[in-house]
Amino acid sequence: MSPKLADAQVSRAGVAVAGVAIGDGHPIRVIAGPCSVEGMEQFRETAIAVKDGGAVLLRGGAFKPRSSPYSFQGLGEQGLEIMRAVADELEMGVVTEAMSAEEVLLVRRYADMVQIGARNMDNRALLEVAADSGLPILLKRGITATVDEVLAAAEIILARGNDQVVICERGSRTFEPSTRNSLDIAAVPEIKLRCDLPVVVDPSHGTGRRDLVAPVALAGIAAGADGVIVEVHPDPEAARSDGSQSLEASSFPAFMGRVQAMALAVGRSV
Ligand code: PEP
Ligand code: MN
């Protein structure tokens, strides 16, 4: 184990995001919201639904790392403004992705946590700027990254003096075509055995399929995850990105009921 990771004691105190502590000894945290912020109405409606259901942090994309240049790229700063306004109204924190140093600086003005996406996990310059922003960081494991590699990326952040890092297992590229990615359940306890950083699972990108989101979220919690980040949309069929893996807002309470039951089964709360 590398020096800073060995020293880190963050999980006991928890990584604090807008007053919400994530980590060992804290409840299972559910972070929910749409893949992309599409407008005030869509984000607000989703945020109200997930807050009512028991999510404690919001997610939403303003800068989207899409595979095609012709796909919706996000609303940019307008998306950040919408997220901040709704998060303030609901008194919640919000996490969003930045893909460049410039975006980190913008995100810092509006969000409570910055996400480093899977496609950027090994972008050292971006990790350093994100670390220096002082924001807590949601570090997503790269699509083809090993556990060693995601921990090395975390180390880059810790070495800059920012230990507020949550690692996200979001699935790897494998030979299996029935799911978008293969979520590596064993990585959850493995990372927690090797360092003190909190781990969350992302069953949305981890499967690409709405019907698999709940079972894989529960498996992640059973394996020791400290939280779940999940995509939710009021009308997934009309979503501008990742509709097929987004839970319908109306089904969110049922999802949370299952999360709560699993959390209790492993001696945690929600
Ligand atoms: C996302 O969370 O919206 C996202 C694009 O995630 P990932 O980087 O894991 O693909
Ligand atoms: Mn998405």
Side-chain angles (χ1 to χ4, degrees), residues 50 97 175 228:
V50 302
E97 178 166 358
F175 51 79
V228 176

Side-chain angles (χ1 to χ4, degrees), residues 34-36 59 64 180 205 231 241-242 245:
C35 177
S36 301
R59 63 146 287 147
K64 296 306 301 176
R180 182 178 179 185
H205 296 92
E231 291 183 337
S241 61
D242 285 351
Q245 66 190 35

Side-chain angles (χ1 to χ4, degrees), residues 64 66-74 240-241:
K64 296 306 301 176
R66 306 304 301 283
S67 304
S68 164
Y70 309 112
S71 301
F72 178 55
Q73 305 293 311
R240 298 189 74 182
S241 61

Side-chain angles (χ1 to χ4, degrees), residues 5-41:
L5 281 173
D7 290 350
Q9 297 283 314
V10 291
S11 142
R12 252 151 251 146
V15 167
V17 183
V20 173
I22 305 171
D24 278 344
H26 299 283
I28 301 292
R29 304 304 193 180
V30 177
I31 306 167
C35 177
S36 301
V37 180
E38 299 168 5
M40 175 59 90
E41 207 178 318

Side-chain angles (χ1 to χ4, degrees), residues 192-243:
K192 290 185 65 89
L193 283 170
R194 285 167 60 173
C195 71
D196 203 41
L197 300 179
V199 177
V200 303
V201 290
D202 174 351
S204 306
H205 296 92
T207 66
R209 286 177 42 186
R210 184 179 312 128
D211 57 347
L212 298 183
V213 164
V216 172
L218 301 190
I221 295 167
D226 301 297
V228 176
I229 180 164
V230 62
E231 291 183 337
V232 181
H233 195 284
D235 180 8
E237 300 314 320
R240 298 189 74 182
S241 61
D242 285 351

